[in-house]
């Protein structure tokens, strides 16, 4: 394990669909004693909750969003979004219905704003829970949520590799469509943050990606 300083560290992991953000972030969290936060799961969870109310992306969602009670449930080292006292299951937030709607809801400024302070506050949760730092994954972590994070990485892989990963997971969402919507939205689009380190996960195994990032963190290098 590299010698992280006593200062609470924040590591931002961004990238498109199926580039390996979650598996990489979870592996890093285990190796570096960090709290793990998956903001993609946040948007899936809030999409699940909104669909349950009968809401659609075309609706005025201000009042519905304001009525949602957002809390954090810690599952070992992973912080999960709890809405109105319930943490939806992985099956529920990765259903075809959620897959078809999550990018549409995530593009709505009111939805992103409703999660902004909650996501920023996860650093405080990590400190209170005694972790050495926080690793947060998503599509706007290094650009919007924690632009001053000590370490910012942008994971990428070719579309064929990502499609094969999704198929192996049994997921039905379209990689190309998700990327197009996430990059085109006006609020917090998917971009590689200026100064972030690009990491190509395509030719590397999961363990190689984790080791590569740990080495970059430990040496302070700023290139892949």
């Amino acid at each position: 394990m590299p010698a992280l300083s006593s200062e609470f560290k924040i590591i931002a992991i961004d990238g498109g669909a199926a580039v390996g953000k979650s598996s990489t972030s979870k592996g890093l969290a285990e190796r570096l004693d960090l709290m793990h936060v998956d903001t993609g799961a946040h948007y899936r969870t809030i999409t699940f909750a909104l669909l349950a109310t009968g809401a659609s992306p075309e609706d005025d969602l201000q009042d519905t969003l304001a009525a949602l009670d957002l809390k954090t449930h810690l599952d070992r080292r992973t912080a999960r979004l709890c809405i109105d006292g319930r943490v939806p299951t992985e099956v529920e937030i990765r259903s075809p219905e959620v897959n078809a709607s999550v990018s549409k809801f995530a593009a709505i400024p009111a939805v992103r704003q409703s999660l902004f302070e909650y996501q920023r506050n996860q650093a405080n949760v990590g400190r209170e829970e005694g972790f050495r730092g926080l690793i947060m994954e998503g599509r706007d972590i290094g650009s919007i949520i924690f632009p001053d994070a000590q370490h910012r990485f942008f994971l990428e892989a070719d579309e064929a590799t990502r499609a094969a990963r999704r198929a192996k997971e049994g997921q039905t969402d379209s990689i190309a469509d998700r990327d197009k919507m996430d990059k085109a939205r006006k609020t917090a689009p998917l971009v590689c943050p200026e100064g972030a380190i690009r990491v190509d996960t395509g030719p590397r195994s999961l363990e190689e990606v984790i080791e590569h990032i740990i080495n970059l963190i430990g040496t302070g290098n700023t290139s892949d």
Side-chain angles (χ1 to χ4, degrees), residues 48-217:
F48 175 80
L50 290 171
L51 290 174
T53 70
S56 76
E58 291 74 34
D59 295 339
D60 182 346
L61 301 173
Q62 293 283 359
D63 291 343
T64 304
L65 290 167
L68 298 178
D69 180 33
L70 309 184
K71 296 286 175 53
T72 298
H73 171 74
L74 195 61
D75 181 6
R76 293 185 68 246
R77 65 177 62 257
T78 295
R80 301 190 183 281
L81 174 58
C82 176
I83 297 185
D84 295 336
R86 181 171 181 265
V87 180
T89 67
E90 284 292 305
V91 172
E92 288 174 324
I93 68 173
R94 298 185 186 280
S95 68
E97 293 77 16
V98 170
N99 285 346
S101 299
V102 62
S103 285
K104 297 175 184 177
F105 279 113
I108 299 171
V111 172
R112 304 199 75 83
Q113 187 58 42
S114 72
L115 285 170
F116 177 79
E117 289 300 335
Y118 173 82
Q119 290 172 347
R120 288 292 299 271
N121 190 57
Q122 293 304 290
N124 292 328
V125 174
R127 292 186 183 96
E128 292 167 1
E129 294 293 338
F131 290 100
R132 304 173 72 198
L134 165 74
I135 184 162
M136 183 175 283
E137 56 166 293
R139 288 165 169 76
D140 65 348
I141 312 308
S143 57
I144 302 295
I145 306 301
F146 289 117
D148 297 324
Q150 294 93 330
H151 303 283
R152 296 181 300 156
F153 297 94
F154 188 83
L155 274 53
E156 51 195 357
D158 63 89
E159 189 172 331
T161 296
R162 294 189 292 148
R165 289 172 178 170
R166 270 293 188 260
K168 187 175 180 179
E169 294 169 356
Q171 296 296 312
T172 58
D173 52 335
S174 168
I175 298 295
D177 289 346
R178 285 289 306 279
D179 280 356
K180 184 177 180 180
M181 293 184 70
D182 290 340
K183 291 177 180 178
R185 65 176 178 241
K186 294 181 179 179
T187 303
L190 170 64
V191 295
C192 177
E194 183 177 355
I197 302 173
R198 290 180 179 270
V199 177
D200 186 356
T201 67
R204 295 180 170 107
S205 69
L206 173 59
E207 187 57 33
E208 287 172 338
V209 172
I210 292 171
E211 286 291 342
H212 179 62
I213 292 176
I214 286 177
N215 287 335
L216 291 173
I217 291 172

Side-chain angles (χ1 to χ4, degrees), residues 1-61:
M1 179 184 293
L4 294 182
S5 72
S6 58
E7 178 188 3
F8 188 87
K9 295 293 185 183
I10 297 177
I11 300 175
I13 304 285
D14 287 305
V19 295
K21 294 190 302 295
S22 290
S23 52
T24 299
S25 297
K26 289 176 182 177
L28 288 167
E30 289 285 348
R31 293 280 297 274
L32 301 176
D33 188 26
L34 307 174
M35 187 175 83
H36 166 245
V37 179
D38 177 359
T39 63
H42 289 174
Y43 285 101
R44 287 178 172 276
T45 299
I46 208 165
T47 295
F48 175 80
L50 290 171
L51 290 174
T53 70
S56 76
E58 291 74 34
D59 295 339
D60 182 346
L61 301 173

